[in-house]
Amino acid sequence: MPTAEPDRRGLVKAFAASLSGTSLEWYDFAVYSSAAALVFGDLFFPGSDPLTGTLQAFATYAVGYVARPLGGIFFGRLGDVIGRKRVLIATLLLIGVATFGIGILPTHAQAGAIAPTLLVALRFAQGVGVGGEWGGAVLLSSEFSKPEQRGFWASAAQVGPPLGTLLANGVLAVLAGVLSEGAFLSWGWRVAFLLSAVLVAFGLLIRTRLEETPVFRELQARGERPAAPVSEVLRTERRPLIAAILARVGPDVLYAMFAVFVLTYATKDLGMSRGQAVAAVLVGSGCQVVLIPLSGWLSDRYGRRTVYAIGAVGGAVWSVVFFATATSLATLLPGVVIGLLFHSLMYGPQAAFVSEQFTARLRYTGSSLAYTFAGVIGGALAPLAFTYFLAKTGSGYAIATYIVVACVITLVGLRLGRAVQDEPQDLVVSRA
C-alpha cells in the first residue's frame, strides 16, 4: 500500500540533512583527493621519481574507494535493520575523526615509514564512512518525497560531492594563495583537514534532530525488516544490483577525470599553476550545484534512463574533445565545466535510479553495495590508470578511450535496470 501524503516539513528537513551531511563528508573526502594530487606525493612518498610519488599518493586515494564496500556492507545492513538515522550519525562521526587525524599526521621526513602507513589507515577509515553514508543519505530525502518528485529530492545527496569539492578546493586555494610555497607544504595544508571538526559538529546537530523516514517506520510497524539483508540482496536481487553497479561506473570515471586527475594534468603536463588548476575545478563544481538537482528534476519529467544516457554519451564524446583542445586555462576552464555538466546529467538521476532498483526492505543494503562496488571499479582505479597511461603514451587519448569504455558500461547498466517511475508504490512495499 502507498504511504500517506509526505509531510512537507519533514521532507525539507530530510533534504537539508542529506545535503549538509554528504557535503561535509565529501569535503573531508575531497580535501584528501586534492591534497593527494598537489602535495602528498612530496610529503609522504618522497623519492627521486615524481611519477612514483604521484602514483603512490593516488594509490592511497584508491584505498578510500576499496574500503567503501566494507562500509556499504556493514552500515548498509544496519540501515535496513536499525534505521537510516542512527547509521548516518555513525558514518559522519567516523569520517570526521579520520579526517582530523590526517591533519595532525607527521610527514615522512618527521616519522619515516610510519607516516604513510598511518595515512593509508586513516584514508581507509574515511572510505568505510563514505561507503555507509551514500545509501542512507539518498533514502533520507527519497523516502520522504512523492514518487513523481523523487528524482529531484533524491538529488540532495548528489549535490553533496560538488559542494564538498567546492568547499575543499576553496579552502586549499585560499591557503595556497595567502601562504608561501614553503608554509603551505609545511603546515598550511593541515588547516583544511582540521576544519573538519567544526563542519562535522554542524552536521551532527542537524542529523540528531531528524526523524526516521516514513518508509522505515512502516517497515518496522509491519515487521518486514530483513534478518540478513546482504545475503538476501545477493540471492534475490542480483540483476538490480548488477544494473546499478554498471550504471555508476561512467559517472565515477568522469568525475575522477574532471574533478581529481585534472589537477595533476593541468599542473604537470600543461604547465599551469596550482591556483589555476584548482580554479577550474571550483568553477565546474559551482555549476554542478545547480546542474545536479536540475538533472534530477529532468529525470522526473523525461525519465531517469533518458537523461542518464544523454550524460553518458555526451561524457564519452567530450572526453575526446577535451584532450584535443585543452592546452591553456582559456580552454581548460570550459573543458572542465562541460565535462562536469555531462557528469551532472548522470549524477542527478543516479540516486533515484539506483534506489528504485531495490525493494524497500533491502534498499539501504542494495543501494550501498551498488554504490561502493562501482566505486572500486570506477573511481578507485581511474586516477591510477590515467597517470599510468599519460606517462606511458604521452597522450591524453588513451585516457579518453578509458572514459569512453566506462560510459559504454554505464549504458549497459541502464539497459539492464528497471524503469520503475511508473510503479511508485514500490518505494514502500515489497514487490511480493
Side-chain angles (χ1 to χ4, degrees):
M1 64 180 186
T3 55
E5 182 76 8
D7 173 59
R8 183 75 178 182
R9 183 180 178 187
L11 178 58
V12 172
K13 287 170 63 178
F15 185 91
S18 179
L19 175 62
S20 62
T22 53
S23 297
L24 297 176
E25 292 197 346
W26 273 91
Y27 166 84
D28 293 347
F29 211 70
V31 79
Y32 183 99
S33 302
S34 297
L38 298 174
V39 300
F40 279 178
D42 295 329
L43 295 178
F44 290 94
F45 305 98
S48 57
D49 182 7
L51 171 62
T52 300
T54 301
L55 282 170
Q56 289 174 320
F58 276 137
T60 60
Y61 171 84
V63 164
Y65 279 92
V66 173
R68 287 186 189 184
L70 295 179
I73 293 170
F74 179 75
F75 289 114
R77 177 189 180 281
L78 287 178
D80 281 327
V81 174
I82 68 174
R84 301 13 175 164
K85 173 183 173 178
R86 283 189 283 178
V87 170
L88 287 171
I89 291 174
T91 59
L92 189 65
L93 277 171
L94 176 60
I95 197 170
V97 170
T99 306
F100 187 85
I102 292 174
I104 60 175
L105 272 185
T107 64
H108 188 279
Q110 297 167 327
I114 190 64
T117 302
L118 291 174
L119 179 65
V120 171
L122 291 171
R123 176 62 172 175
F124 187 88
Q126 275 191 327
V128 171
V130 172
E133 161 70 18
W134 187 83
V138 165
L139 300 188
L140 272 185
S141 49
S142 66
E143 290 185 345
F144 272 97
S145 68
K146 296 180 182 179
E148 64 270 20
Q149 299 175 349
R150 195 181 302 150
F152 171 76
W153 290 105
S155 70
Q158 305 298 82
V159 180
L163 270 180
T165 299
L166 191 67
L167 184 58
N169 283 310
V171 169
L172 287 171
V174 170
L175 291 171
V178 301
L179 299 175
S180 66
E181 184 81 8
F184 182 80
L185 290 173
S186 175
W187 58 268
W189 63 271
R190 297 181 183 276
V191 175
F193 286 89
L194 298 179
L195 282 174
S196 66
V198 178
L199 300 176
V200 169
F202 177 74
L204 286 173
L205 179 65
I206 295 176
R207 288 193 172 179
T208 53
R209 297 181 177 182
L210 185 70
E211 297 179 359
E212 187 55 82
T213 73
V215 171
F216 186 78
R217 293 201 303 268
E218 183 176 337
L219 290 171
Q220 279 184 306
R222 294 165 56 176
E224 291 190 4
R225 289 179 294 172
V230 175
S231 61
E232 192 171 341
V233 167
L234 296 176
R235 187 177 68 253
T236 66
E237 306 211 6
R238 285 190 294 270
R239 176 165 175 161
L241 180 62
I242 292 170
I245 289 173
L246 297 182
R248 275 191 36 79
V249 171
D252 267 15
V253 171
L254 204 65
Y255 187 81
M257 174 62 224
F258 289 106
V260 179
F261 183 76
V262 72
L263 296 172
T264 298
Y265 180 70
T267 54
K268 296 190 176 181
D269 291 88
L270 300 182
M272 297 181 189
S273 69
R274 180 184 289 121
Q276 288 175 320
V278 170
V281 174
L282 284 174
V283 173
S285 297
C287 293
Q288 281 200 294
V289 173
V290 176
L291 291 171
I292 287 175
L294 175 61
S295 299
W297 177 82
L298 288 172
S299 78
D300 287 327
R301 188 174 180 88
Y302 300 107
R304 311 271 186 256
R305 293 194 291 189
T306 299
V307 176
Y308 211 131
I310 292 172
V313 173
V317 173
W318 184 250
S319 64
V320 178
V321 175
F322 174 79
F323 285 106
T325 59
T327 56
S328 65
L329 180 61
T331 52
L332 179 79
L333 180 58
V336 170
V337 170
I338 295 173
L340 292 178
L341 181 153
F342 287 120
H343 174 264
S344 299
L345 289 173
M346 293 186 280
Y347 210 59
Q350 184 184 97
F353 176 82
V354 170
S355 65
E356 286 169 344
Q357 301 305 306
F358 304 97
T359 52
R361 61 192 299 274
L362 299 172
R363 186 162 294 121
Y364 201 139
T365 301
S367 298
S368 297
L369 291 177
Y371 175 76
T372 55
F373 281 104
V376 175
I377 299 170
L381 298 179
L384 291 168
F386 296 162
T387 303
Y388 177 82
F389 288 147
L390 191 62
K392 293 300 180 181
T393 67
S395 168
Y397 291 111
I399 296 175
T401 302
Y402 189 99
I403 296 172
V404 169
V405 172
C407 290
V408 170
I409 290 172
T410 284
L411 292 173
V412 173
L414 294 176
R415 182 67 182 85
L416 289 174
R418 299 170 61 239
V420 294
Q421 286 164 274
D422 295 330
E423 305 174 37
Q425 73 279 5
D426 184 63
L427 186 64
V428 180
V429 300
S430 169
R431 293 188 202 113

